[in-house]
Amino acid sequence: MSAAFGPRLRALLTDRGMTLRGTARALNYNVAYISRVTNGRQRPSAQLAEALDELLQADGELVRLAAPVTPLESPEEPTGPASDIAHMKASAEHILRHADRYGGDAVAPVAVQLWLSAQRKLDAGEIPESAQRGYAAAVAEAAEVAGWLLFDSGDHVAARNAFLESHMLARHAGERAMEWFALDMLAMLDTECGRPGGVRRITDELLSQSRIPPRVALLARVRRGRALAQIGDRQRALTDLDAARGGVEESLSARDPKWAWWVNQQEIGGHSGHALLSLADLNAAILKFQSALEHATPRGVMLYRIELLHSYAKAKAWREAEEEIHEISPLLSTITSGRNRLLLRDALQVVDRASGVPVGLSALVRDTAATISL
């Protein structure tokens, strides 16, 4: 499949005034599948390509773009900006898949090396002027990937520097979608670090921009809802999160940036669980985390189990807390995420400091804490 399929499909949908939801309804396909295809996250089947081509009257263009591409053999490794960009994108995809399964600790240094080696070329003036804009955009994306993995490995300072660099490079390259992504990542980081004021400033900036894609606005409301929950503003926090959850499918648009493909009901449910935990609505938080577990990646499963442990500890539900520790313990040997280990340490401390903890659970907490290497 040509890399041009997704961008061309988005352009045709925009030209025809069609939404992803309307397209899915017209073709009787799952809207999430069409969203992934549109954003380049999944190859379209031949049947879908033909159906889209006919619906959008593309005269066979989409069918041709969807056809498998046979790579030409090359005796030598290509060099130059285009080769660097292709290498960055392919490497980032592989690194992110690994992190979803095993956590970000092992691959964060690789992502940082990938980003900084490319940025050094850009800073040293080694990239021809004609290629600088596209190269800067690719380096902005590499910096964002490095920032996310640094965040997952628990290095908040380095993650912030990477996100700020990504934002600056994206602005220089004129890549609005990547600018929005960097701002969303900064809001995520401020949420994690308990800086609701910073989150509010970022989300207010995003929501004040004209013609911001619906998916980006939805994410800004999720981040703002989390920040409002942290300061105890229950009504406005739940209003933002309920609006986001209600608009997940309706917000699908051909204008969505590629990076917004992962936003779904389970993701927003998990954020709602975090907000409810901040608001001390423990029973509701537990239900949200249990639901989010169903479709989570292995790294996500560990995160939601840790937050379930935190919720059970706050509720003094000792039997359930013990069961969660037993579920989490085997994951520690395969999923190396500094962020999750930090969160687990905090959850174990909640149990350890509570009154009325059974003796057996206290011993289990101490043994588990001893296995966490921070």
Side-chain angles (χ1 to χ4, degrees), residues 241-319:
L241 289 162
D242 287 346
R245 185 169 57 253
V248 171
E249 292 190 4
E250 293 298 333
S251 70
L252 286 167
S253 160
R255 293 195 297 121
D256 290 338
K258 287 184 178 181
W259 56 263
W261 67 270
W262 47 268
V263 184
N264 55 32
Q265 290 285 3
Q266 287 73 33
E267 183 73 22
I268 293 177
H271 283 289
S272 297
H274 288 292
L276 290 162
L277 180 55
S278 296
L279 293 166
D281 191 343
L282 302 176
N283 289 334
I286 288 166
L287 290 174
K288 292 293 184 184
F289 290 135
Q290 288 173 335
S291 178
L293 269 174
E294 295 177 10
H295 301 285
T297 62
R299 183 187 52 78
V301 166
M302 186 175 181
L303 170 65
Y304 292 133
R305 288 209 175 279
I306 291 169
E307 295 297 30
L308 276 169
L309 170 60
H310 197 159
S311 302
Y312 289 135
K314 288 278 190 181
K316 297 190 175 184
W318 304 132
R319 181 177 60 81

Side-chain angles (χ1 to χ4, degrees), residues 176-369:
R176 294 293 301 281
M178 189 54 59
E179 278 190 65
W180 293 325
F181 200 3
L183 288 173
D184 179 69
M185 291 290 97
L186 285 165
M188 171 196 70
L189 182 58
D190 277 349
T191 301
E192 188 86 1
C193 295
R195 291 192 286 257
V199 179
R200 293 286 303 279
R201 288 191 293 274
I202 292 169
T203 55
D204 287 349
E205 178 183 340
L206 282 168
L207 292 169
S208 69
Q209 294 182 18
S210 60
R211 289 187 55 77
I212 190 171
R215 213 70 165 169
V216 179
L218 181 149
L219 265 171
R221 291 190 179 92
V222 170
R223 305 293 186 198
R224 188 172 66 183
R226 290 282 305 277
L228 290 166
Q230 287 180 341
I231 63 174
D233 192 336
R234 178 186 179 87
Q235 182 174 351
R236 289 201 296 163
L238 296 185
T239 296
D240 265 341
L241 289 162
D242 287 346
R245 185 169 57 253
V248 171
E249 292 190 4
E250 293 298 333
S251 70
L252 286 167
S253 160
R255 293 195 297 121
D256 290 338
K258 287 184 178 181
W259 56 263
W261 67 270
W262 47 268
V263 184
N264 55 32
Q265 290 285 3
Q266 287 73 33
E267 183 73 22
I268 293 177
H271 283 289
S272 297
H274 288 292
L276 290 162
L277 180 55
S278 296
L279 293 166
D281 191 343
L282 302 176
N283 289 334
I286 288 166
L287 290 174
K288 292 293 184 184
F289 290 135
Q290 288 173 335
S291 178
L293 269 174
E294 295 177 10
H295 301 285
T297 62
R299 183 187 52 78
V301 166
M302 186 175 181
L303 170 65
Y304 292 133
R305 288 209 175 279
I306 291 169
E307 295 297 30
L308 276 169
L309 170 60
H310 197 159
S311 302
Y312 289 135
K314 288 278 190 181
K316 297 190 175 184
W318 304 132
R319 181 177 60 81
E320 290 83 356
E322 182 173 350
E323 289 174 357
E324 284 304 326
I325 293 175
H326 285 302
E327 293 286 351
I328 292 165
S329 292
L331 303 177
L332 293 171
S333 61
T334 56
I335 301 173
T336 55
S337 163
R339 177 198 182 198
N340 281 355
R341 290 196 307 276
L342 288 166
L343 292 171
L344 177 56
R345 183 192 64 182
D346 291 345
L348 292 172
Q349 286 178 349
V350 172
V351 180
D352 192 48
R353 294 169 181 170
S355 60
V357 181
V359 174
L361 178 55
S362 291
L364 179 61
V365 165
R366 288 193 296 271
D367 290 344
T368 306

